[in-house]
Amino acid sequence: MLAKHRHFLRFTTRDLTDEQAGLRTTASELCLGGLIKHVAAVERNWAEFIVKGPSVMGDFTAMTEADWARRADEFRMLPGETLAGVLADYAEVARRTDELVVTLPDLDATQPLPKAPWFEADSEWSARRVLMHVIAETAQHAGHADIIRESMDGAKSMG
């Protein structure tokens, strides 16, 4: 399922230039290259969380304005970034996640969630729950990407 949604997300960028991958085509701040950067970062962080726990994500309740600004850059194509580079990074993240899933001894092993206003305090997620979250987030952003691409030039991922 994750591979399917990764495919549709990547497919939205077919035949685009770096400039097009950085375009905002809706009222949203989102662009195709930025969405792929974001999904890659999310998948990377959650995969590390499965292995190392909440320390890899930090304490979201202690983030500064500068931290939030750096996080916002994950949704944009920054100067010097290329679509090919963003896609290559995402492919490497996917490869590592797939390898992790194959080698995990127990999908039911849990880790405490990091501190964040959007998580219930003192909650834990299993590796299985984390992977379901990554699938859901990837699917959601593949849908966003389809809208952004269709707004750009009418191209659709499906149909």
Side-chain angles (χ1 to χ4, degrees), residues 56-136:
V56 299
M57 294 184 144
D59 179 349
F60 290 96
T61 63
M63 286 180 64
T64 65
E65 284 187 41
D67 294 329
W68 287 110
R70 276 190 297 280
R71 184 174 165 93
D73 283 346
E74 150 183 314
F75 290 92
R76 297 187 259 284
M77 292 283 288
L78 300 176
E81 291 180 331
T82 65
L83 178 57
V86 168
L87 289 169
D89 180 59
Y90 188 36
E92 178 59 19
V93 168
R95 185 195 64 74
R96 281 190 249 145
T97 301
D98 292 347
E99 184 178 288
L100 173 66
V101 171
V102 170
T103 60
L104 277 174
D106 184 5
L107 285 173
D108 293 320
T110 62
Q111 295 279 9
L113 288 172
K115 286 186 181 181
W118 48 86
F119 292 133
E120 186 177 327
D122 302 318
S123 293
E124 295 182 342
W125 277 7
S126 68
R128 184 183 322 277
R129 174 66 182 89
V130 168
L131 293 167
M132 294 299 292
H133 176 74
V134 171
I135 292 167

